Amino acid sequence: MADESVGGVAELYLGNLLYALERCALSLDQDGKALDAAFYRGIGRKLADARGRAQGAAIGSSSEPGPSP
């Protein structure tokens, strides 16, 4: 693995991490712990949003011209 930083590993396994966070949240919901479930969903949302921003930045900085509006 070229980038063994926390961020690099998290990026590599982001889908798995988001799935696990949602499973955790579902379990907490079933246990009647809605506030705890919301906390873990919030973490997942932050990770997914950060990934979206990173992808948007990578696309925006590409040397190829994009479609014209």
Side-chain angles (χ1 to χ4, degrees), residues 48-61:
D49 289 348
R51 177 62 174 159
R53 284 191 304 274
Q55 285 182 330
I59 291 171
S61 68

Side-chain angles (χ1 to χ4, degrees), residues 5-39:
S5 67
V6 172
V9 173
E11 186 174 354
L12 181 62
Y13 295 106
L14 183 59
N16 303 79
L17 292 168
L18 293 175
Y19 176 79
L21 286 167
E22 181 57 23
R23 291 294 305 242
C24 176
L26 286 171
S27 177
L28 288 166
D29 271 338
Q30 289 175 349
D31 291 344
K33 298 179 180 180
L35 188 59
D36 294 336
F39 174 77

